[in-house]
Amino acid sequence: MIQRTPTRIEARPADNDSASWQQLLSGAITSPTALLERLDLDPRLWLQGAEEGHRLFAIRVPEPYLSRITRGNPQDPLLRQVLPLSEEGVLADGYVSDPLQEVTASETTGLIRKYQSRALLMVTGQCAINCRYCFRRHFPYEEHRLSPLDRDRVIDTLRQDTRINEVIFSGGDPLVASDRLLAAWTAAIGEIPHIRRLRIHTRLPVVIPQRVCDSLLAWLPETRLQTVIVLHINHPAELDLATRLALARLRAAGATLLNQSVILRGVNDNAEVLTELSEALFEAGVMPYYLHAFDPVAGAHHFDVSDDAARALVRTMLASLPGFLVPKLVREIPGKAGKTPIDLFA
Ligand code: SF4
């Protein structure tokens, strides 16, 4: 069923562009020693913990992201998101491998149904970066690898359930997949009349801005589906010039850009940082959308911020930002029909 591959995508000279992001992807740092060397961090202080954490969830950081980290600063908020620590091995009460119970929400291989009108498609299990706090750090991606038969089943499921009006490309990071595959999925989904929107959850335009290449921009505006790209940016230092240019290209291609952040101890649990993030997002044409309370995933308890502290931060943001720049503070509760807002004044 998923067979439409616009030949002009394969033939475009922009393939050089694709090779460029693919080279950056495959050249990512994947060892603790290389990360510490690249960032001038003392191995006597950091190597043992980094190796312990790396054994639990492999390190992966591509160069465009590394280039925004201040060398020699172990507290850099971008470094904190990617540096494995020995704390990841601590078993903390209430922290589990599948905090959102997604494994049991899988309807068909590769398709997760948490909400009635939306279906989440695991396009790929790969990411360009491994964020230490990821709530899917234990997700069994291997079991969700899609065979051609599975792809047909996914399309059949989407076609038969007329309640579904939005498909979400997720992962991993869906933009790790080739443009050829993404264009084919989008074309097949676009043929289903009751589906109105395509949502793409991605961190790639942030961590490898070169991913917003000509071949991506060739298929994206072609679909009749309204396209929403939900980015994942946690700190204003992630929005460098290359990322802002990539976001401008996505907007020019007709995509609506939203951002969701996770509130993380030592990264962005600070009202000034979150306020600056909202300002920087808006300047880049991105609406701050959600600020997620931390999902209690095993191995990441050291990032947790209490609900009381999160409420206080957002109340401070309300005092200094217009309402439309204050993201909604939410928590995802397994089984609920949508995100649950956290009452700021409780
Ligand atoms: S990019 Fe997203 S899915 Fe991938 S590791 Fe980071 S938070 Fe998880």
Side-chain angles (χ1 to χ4, degrees):
M1 187 58 222
I2 302 166
Q3 45 195 245
R4 178 174 165 255
T5 306
T7 47
R8 67 191 184 80
I9 289 179
E10 292 175 283
R12 288 174 74 92
D15 278 354
N16 289 338
D17 227 347
S18 300
S20 167
W21 71 261
Q22 285 161 338
Q23 281 168 355
L24 290 163
L25 184 68
S26 62
I29 276 185
T30 53
S31 86
T33 306
L35 182 69
L36 300 185
E37 267 177 22
R38 170 68 180 76
L39 295 175
D40 292 340
L41 293 170
D42 187 346
R44 290 168 302 181
L45 297 177
W46 299 100
L47 188 58
Q48 187 183 340
E51 283 181 337
E52 285 172 22
H54 171 65
R55 279 194 285 277
L56 296 167
F57 183 44
I59 200 168
R60 170 172 288 279
V61 199
E63 180 56 36
Y65 195 81
L66 281 169
S67 67
R68 290 168 237 172
I69 297 175
T70 306
R71 285 171 176 256
N73 177 11
Q75 303 310 325
D76 184 289
L78 276 59
L79 174 70
R80 303 273 306 162
Q81 298 182 56
V82 296
L83 176 68
L85 298 175
S86 56
E87 282 92 327
E88 295 179 32
V90 174
L91 296 175
D93 272 356
Y95 290 77
V96 296
S97 61
D98 183 17
L100 305 187
Q101 297 175 15
E102 291 188 320
V103 175
T104 48
S106 303
E107 184 158 295
T108 307
T109 302
L111 199 67
I112 293 180
R113 286 292 299 284
K114 291 197 267 191
Y115 310 122
Q116 202 176 71
S117 62
R118 284 149 283 167
L120 193 139
L121 177 62
M122 312 289 268
V123 177
T124 171
Q126 275 188 282
C127 281
I129 190 167
N130 281 351
C131 312
R132 309 314 302 174
Y133 48 82
C134 180
F135 68 84
R136 292 200 183 123
R137 56 182 279 160
H138 306 281
F139 192 84
Y141 286 113
E142 281 305 307
E143 294 167 20
H144 287 262
R145 189 183 291 250
L146 290 160
S147 69
L149 187 61
D150 293 328
R151 290 179 195 161
D152 288 347
R153 285 201 188 111
V154 165
I155 292 296
D156 278 348
T157 304
L158 296 175
R159 192 182 292 118
Q160 281 164 21
D161 191 340
T162 54
R163 295 172 303 173
I164 300 173
N165 60 22
E166 180 171 321
V167 174
I168 302 169
F169 284 178
S170 185
D173 193 315
L175 291 189
V176 169
S178 70
D179 287 312
R180 182 176 175 159
L181 180 67
L182 293 166
W185 271 118
T186 304
I189 292 166
E191 287 169 8
I192 303 173
H194 54 264
I195 297 188
R196 297 175 161 187
R197 282 182 302 279
L198 172 67
R199 202 189 323 169
I200 303 174
H201 281 192
T202 181
R203 192 150 157 73
L204 250 163
V206 183
V207 301
I208 304 182
Q210 292 82 348
R211 178 62 184 94
V212 184
C213 57
D214 289 351
S215 60
L216 169 64
L217 298 171
W219 65 264
L220 195 65
E222 280 191 352
T223 178
R224 70 159 182 87
L225 302 166
Q226 280 191 300
T227 305
V228 181
I229 297 181
V230 181
L231 300 147
H232 173 183
I233 303 172
N234 295 318
H235 193 280
E238 291 178 318
L239 274 165
D240 68 351
L241 178 61
T243 296
R244 284 184 270 127
L245 291 173
L247 300 178
R249 295 186 88 193
L250 291 171
R251 286 175 63 216
T256 298
L257 305 184
L258 306 175
N259 183 61
Q260 51 184 348
S261 308
V262 188
I263 190 160
L264 299 165
R265 195 195 311 165
V267 174
N268 60 8
D269 56 334
N270 174 303
E272 260 178 59
V273 167
L274 289 173
T275 300
E276 178 51 32
L277 175 60
S278 279
E279 294 278 13
L281 285 168
F282 191 61
E283 278 164 22
V286 184
M287 287 305 294
Y289 174 38
Y290 280 144
L291 180 61
H292 285 267
F294 189 77
D295 297 313
V297 62
H301 71 285
H302 51 293
F303 285 109
D304 206 349
V305 173
S306 71
D307 280 1
D308 280 349
R311 285 187 186 101
L313 287 172
V314 179
R315 286 196 303 264
T316 306
M317 291 173 79
L318 275 172
S320 58
L321 285 169
F324 64 90
L325 288 187
V326 180
K328 288 182 212 160
L329 181 64
V330 293
R331 176 182 297 291
E332 185 155 346
I333 298 175
K336 290 263 182 174
K339 304 273 190 293
T340 302
I342 296 178
D343 184 352
L344 297 181
F345 300 96

